[in-house]
Amino acid sequence: MLAIDQSIFGSDDNFIVLVRDDATGQTAAIDAVDGHAIAERLRQLGWGLDLILVTHHHRDHTAGIAMLKGEFGATVVAPAAEAGRIPAVDRGVHEGDTVNVGRAIFEVIATPGHTAGHVAYWSAEEKLAFVGDTLFSLGCGRVFETPLETMWTSLLKLRALPRDTAVYCGHDYTAANGRFALTLEPSNLDLEARMAEVARLRADGRPTLPTTIGAEQATNPFFRADKPRLRRAIGMAGGDPAAVFAEIRRRKDSFS
Ligand code: ZN
Ligand code: FE
């Protein structure tokens, strides 16, 4: 089993996730927003750092890599397609590759959209997925490097994972995402309940993550572009799901 430590860092609510395999002591960080913050947390936990699993090339996921590699000698695993834009990559990975953290096995899932080479890491046995900036709770990443439809295809891959998969996202944007989601589905009771939970958690200074694939299926509008109720809500009844997704994403981009 993996022990998991999570915390929120910085002004953009980056989510720091550290995992450690009990049996072997092998430890991994998912992305590296800030080397000092991660190193300090590792020292508090008494953990080393063997691996950094990188989801995509953005600075807020890679800025700490060089420092952590220098201090802990961690191996840097990153999408092969973005290796030229990520510091100190030791191993470039593609869809279907596997990465071990101790005895836990993660499968690489290509999730292009937010960036063209973005990947997620999924462990069937551990029932968890690290999805970077592809999927957020009640939202998804902005689409910068591919057509909007490409992101829909990536989200469908994540939506097809087992419902009880715990999902660790790159940022804790749940509260803001939920305000937008409620404009589309004001009478979604699951969404209402989730927002009440989010308000309680954030009032206590706690993260709203991880979420689960099943919870997102019921509440995340970007997972629901092929649902009749959502399509009616945006005036696209019978619309092609990829086009509905694109319309929701465009509306979210200009929502404040
Ligand atoms: Zn990003
Ligand atoms: Fe990010």
Side-chain angles (χ1 to χ4, degrees):
M1 278 297 288
L2 290 175
I4 300 178
D5 181 79
Q6 53 180 39
S7 48
I8 300 174
F9 176 82
S11 58
D12 203 24
D13 287 340
N14 276 84
F15 199 50
I16 293 177
V17 180
L18 304 169
V19 299
R20 182 174 188 272
D21 175 46
D22 290 337
T24 61
Q26 276 238 342
T27 301
I30 316 313
D31 291 328
V33 54
D34 182 273
H36 295 285
I38 293 172
E40 189 189 317
R41 187 68 194 137
L42 287 166
R43 277 192 291 272
Q44 285 167 2
L45 293 162
W47 293 1
L49 186 66
D50 302 287
L51 287 161
I52 304 172
L53 307 184
V54 184
T55 60
H56 67 294
H57 68 78
H58 285 159
R59 277 286 293 171
D60 64 319
H61 299 256
T62 59
I65 289 174
M67 188 215 129
L68 291 170
K69 185 170 177 172
E71 185 161 339
F72 295 92
T75 298
V76 180
V77 177
E82 297 185 355
R85 303 175 72 175
I86 296 171
V89 175
D90 295 297
R91 179 180 168 204
V93 289
H94 303 89
E95 167 111 343
D97 286 351
T98 58
V99 180
N100 278 64
V101 180
R103 294 195 301 199
I105 302 166
F106 287 87
E107 187 178 314
V108 175
I109 302 174
T111 57
H114 179 69
T115 65
H118 195 295
V119 300
Y121 299 89
W122 168 56
S123 173
E125 264 204 355
E126 300 283 338
K127 299 182 192 295
L128 59 93
F130 305 122
V131 300
D133 288 359
T134 298
L135 175 65
F136 298 128
S137 183
L138 306 183
C140 73
R142 279 183 190 251
V143 181
F144 292 119
E145 297 184 5
T146 73
L148 285 165
E149 293 71 21
T150 305
M151 183 66 139
W152 170 242
T153 306
S154 294
L155 289 174
L156 286 177
K157 285 175 163 177
L158 297 179
R159 193 178 75 172
L161 297 178
R163 291 174 50 85
D164 58 354
T165 305
V167 177
Y168 291 81
C169 315
H171 300 260
D172 195 326
Y173 290 155
T174 316
N177 287 340
R179 282 191 286 280
F180 173 73
L182 278 170
T183 67
L184 301 178
E185 289 194 289
S187 56
N188 180 332
L189 296 179
D190 294 314
L191 177 57
E192 220 173 80
R194 172 65 167 148
M195 286 302 281
E197 180 193 36
V198 166
R200 274 195 306 275
L201 289 168
R202 290 314 296 248
D204 288 349
R206 290 161 62 197
T208 68
L209 303 168
T211 180
T212 66
I213 293 294
E216 296 306 312
Q217 286 173 356
T219 55
N220 188 327
F222 296 100
F223 261 11
R224 296 168 59 76
D226 52 359
K227 299 285 181 277
R229 188 167 67 180
L230 196 90
R231 286 194 278 182
R232 275 195 307 275
I234 62 161
M236 292 178 74
D240 170 56
V244 173
F245 167 81
E247 175 60 20
I248 300 171
R249 188 59 258 178
R250 276 191 289 269
R251 289 191 190 190
K252 176 68 164 56
D253 287 347
S254 54
F255 179 83
S256 54

